[in-house]
Amino acid sequence: MNNERAQWSSKLGFILAAAGSAVGLGNIWKFPGRAFEGGGGTYLLVYLLVVVFLGIPLMLTELTLGRASQSNAVGAFRALGHPRASWAGWTGVLGVFIIACYYCHVGGWVLRYVFAYAFEAPAVYADSPGYFYNMLGLRPDGTTVFPWAAVGFAAVFTALTALVLIRGVSGGIERFNKVGMPALFLLLIVLLVRAVTLPGAEPGLRYLLSFDWEKFSMETVLSALGQAFYSLSIGMAILITYGSYLPKTENIPKNTLLVCAMDTLVALLAGFIIVPAVFATLGADQVGKGGGFAFVSLAGVFEMMPGGRIFGVLFYLLLLFAALTSSVSILESVVAFLTERFGWKRRGVTIWLSVVVFAIGCLYTATQAAYPIKGIWLDAAHGVSHPAFCDFLEYLSDRLLIPLTALGCCLFVGWVWKPENVMREVERSGVRFPLRGVYRVIVKYIAPLAIGAILILSLVAGRTLS
Ligand code: PHE
């Protein structure tokens, strides 16, 4: 194995890769629905505040942990002299492994929909929920079959991800993002213009731009918190890994700001595309229908748009780009961990890991509609419950492992390694650390309290927050 650690070959390479990791299914499919449910403009404001006060400091913290330790997420704590804090790396790698299992499959469904709009748009329009569930193995007559098509496309998506990874950090990840990210922005702008000029889009726009205290609640805050963490890829071992490839000369605060800004911009763009478009075509009550939203509700939008089929293909291509740049980052942090910890070869690790992740993911896809395999869950409000296996995977990552990892990182930096070390590492590149006092208060008190609230709500009250 090559002992020299990989490095980003250019500044742009890193920014695009981190932004590529952040911008994903979360921004384009989850965010708009949440923005609608959370009160439109009210939610947007809360979300922006969360990004500024928690997202930015936490991203900066994780990137700095990576660069200071020059290590993957588990090794980072040991390298900084605190092996006992490594548990936060383990929960991160485990969380990201679980996310990998389902992300590759949802990516496959997106790929399936590129083809659906290209070749069978009338069938999608005729019965969009039916089409979606048919893909997942539930036939119109109520019988179920193994979802071969969805699984087949997931295999292609996983293979694509593996291919980018095998090419390594600068050859694969960087080059891929340099094309993928600008293409994504371009497509979003085209869709934005189309969506806001649709007749009837105006009430949707107004809804997103108005603030209403009545719609503000603790739930809005918690939903925004969960969404911001997921969307910025915080609490998943990813930013530590990506930070470790960052040269010592790089300005971490500036990079952090750029990545957070890009991620938030894409989420806002997606919100301003989807919410007005759905208002215009389907009516307000259709917005934000959770998991099926990107696949089911949007069909009505494309059907009623002139040139809808082309916009459909474009939209799913865009989602595919976004999902691929994220899935690459997700698998990369597990690959980095396995190659460094066990000295295994990158190529072999990537191939085997992809196979395992894909195989577990088959259960994710198969239990959406076709097979009743259950997981197990425990929370104080509902006691022991048996969610569908697919939900079980998401609970494990979103409700447990992501918040635990983020909490571990803040507590470690705030109380063990000390914020001063973060500042010193940041200042190595010759920049001054901005707002020292504010950062110290956030990382020591505000962030742990906010993340603690997420954990308590999900494990005690049994509430879904992301
Ligand atoms: N942040 C990505 C998104 O918004 C998803 C992601 C999850 C990326 C986990 C990396 C790790 O979809």
Side-chain angles (χ1 to χ4, degrees):
M1 196 185 64
N2 187 353
N3 284 329
E4 279 275 296
R5 272 189 76 74
Q7 281 205 344
W8 304 108
S9 71
S10 69
K11 192 186 176 89
L12 187 68
F14 164 75
I15 294 176
L16 290 181
S21 165
V23 175
L25 297 167
N27 304 55
I28 296 175
W29 142 71
K30 257 194 207 175
F31 181 83
R34 289 184 160 224
F36 177 81
E37 282 162 9
T42 314
Y43 184 89
L44 293 192
L45 186 73
V46 175
Y47 184 81
L48 289 178
L49 290 175
V50 168
V51 169
V52 170
F53 287 103
L54 287 174
I56 294 176
L58 287 181
M59 181 179 283
L60 181 134
T61 302
E62 291 194 16
L63 286 175
T64 311
L65 275 177
R67 195 177 72 173
S69 63
Q70 289 291 298
S71 177
N72 62 73
V74 175
F77 299 91
R78 182 179 300 273
L80 297 174
H82 299 278
R84 281 177 51 204
S86 301
W87 65 266
W90 283 105
T91 52
V93 172
L94 193 63
V96 109
F97 172 79
I98 290 171
I99 294 175
C101 300
Y102 63 80
Y103 215 84
C104 286
H105 275 254
V106 182
W109 308 351
V110 174
L111 182 60
R112 171 77 189 85
Y113 264 69
V114 174
F115 287 92
Y117 276 88
F119 302 113
E120 341 181 300
V124 185
Y125 295 156
D127 176 13
S128 62
Y131 192 92
F132 180 64
Y133 286 109
N134 194 29
M135 173 181 85
L136 296 174
L138 181 64
R139 295 237 183 94
D141 60 8
T143 55
T144 54
V145 286
F146 187 79
W148 286 110
V151 162
F153 278 94
V156 176
F157 184 89
T158 316
L160 281 175
T161 307
L163 221 75
V164 176
L165 279 173
I166 289 174
R167 313 275 317 258
V169 167
S170 65
I173 302 180
E174 267 194 60
R175 206 174 305 158
F176 179 74
N177 280 299
K178 273 187 187 157
V179 183
M181 287 303 290
L184 181 80
F185 269 100
L186 220 75
L187 279 173
L188 276 173
I189 305 274
V190 172
L191 283 173
L192 180 72
V193 173
R194 173 64 283 191
V196 297
T197 51
L198 282 174
E202 213 197 303
L205 271 177
R206 216 173 312 123
Y207 180 65
L208 283 177
L209 290 172
S210 58
F211 183 84
D212 181 355
W213 267 115
E214 299 236 308
K215 301 220 167 79
F216 180 84
S217 69
M218 204 50 211
E219 272 170 27
T220 320
V221 180
L222 284 166
S223 154
L225 265 175
Q227 172 68 18
F229 279 26
Y230 190 86
S231 186
L232 295 169
S233 309
I234 287 170
M236 318 186 192
I238 287 176
L239 294 167
I240 298 185
T241 310
Y242 272 27
S244 73
Y245 303 145
L246 205 55
K248 294 281 181 196
T249 47
E250 274 303 325
N251 181 336
I252 298 184
K254 199 162 130 199
N255 281 314
T256 305
L257 274 183
L258 268 168
V259 173
C260 287
M262 277 198 240
D263 185 69
T264 308
L265 186 66
V266 172
L268 289 176
L269 279 171
F272 278 89
I273 292 168
I274 291 176
V275 175
V278 179
F279 259 84
T281 51
L282 303 174
D285 57 330
Q286 287 297 319
V287 185
K289 285 280 158 75
F293 182 55
F295 298 101
V296 179
S297 311
L298 274 178
V301 176
F302 296 125
E303 187 179 9
M304 287 177 218
M305 269 185 180
R309 232 172 129 159
I310 298 174
F311 284 107
V313 173
L314 280 180
F315 177 81
Y316 289 100
L317 271 178
L318 169 161
L319 206 54
L320 185 71
F321 269 135
L324 254 177
T325 50
S326 296
S327 68
V328 162
S329 78
I330 295 174
L331 272 187
E332 167 66 18
S333 44
V334 187
V335 168
F337 165 68
L338 293 174
T339 48
E340 283 169 21
R341 176 110 187 166
F342 302 106
W344 295 339
K345 291 233 166 25
R346 185 176 178 89
R347 196 190 158 87
V349 166
T350 307
I351 294 173
W352 278 110
L353 183 67
S354 309
V355 170
V356 172
V357 155
F358 168 75
I360 299 178
C362 286
L363 281 177
Y364 176 80
T365 296
T367 54
Q368 292 288 331
Y371 293 97
I373 302 169
K374 304 276 188 228
I376 181 160
W377 194 252
L378 177 76
D379 64 55
H382 308 99
V384 176
S385 54
H386 294 280
F389 186 81
C390 50
D391 293 332
F392 168 65
L393 283 186
E394 291 187 38
Y395 288 3
L396 271 180
S397 60
D398 296 6
R399 295 186 181 187
L400 187 66
L401 295 165
I402 294 177
L404 265 183
T405 308
L407 185 64
C409 287
C410 310
L411 290 178
F412 173 72
V413 166
W415 299 92
V416 181
W417 195 50
K418 297 283 155 46
E420 284 64 33
N421 277 312
V422 172
M423 297 168 191
R424 197 166 309 131
E425 175 64 30
V426 163
E427 291 185 344
R428 270 171 185 255
S429 59
V431 292
R432 245 192 90 60
F433 191 95
L435 303 174
R436 289 163 161 265
V438 178
Y439 174 74
R440 203 176 287 120
V441 173
I442 290 179
V443 86
K444 283 180 98 129
Y445 306 103
I446 300 181
L449 281 175
I451 302 165
I454 297 186
L455 269 171
I456 289 174
L457 264 155
S458 59
L459 297 183
V460 179
R463 297 257 294 282
T464 318
L465 300 167
S466 66

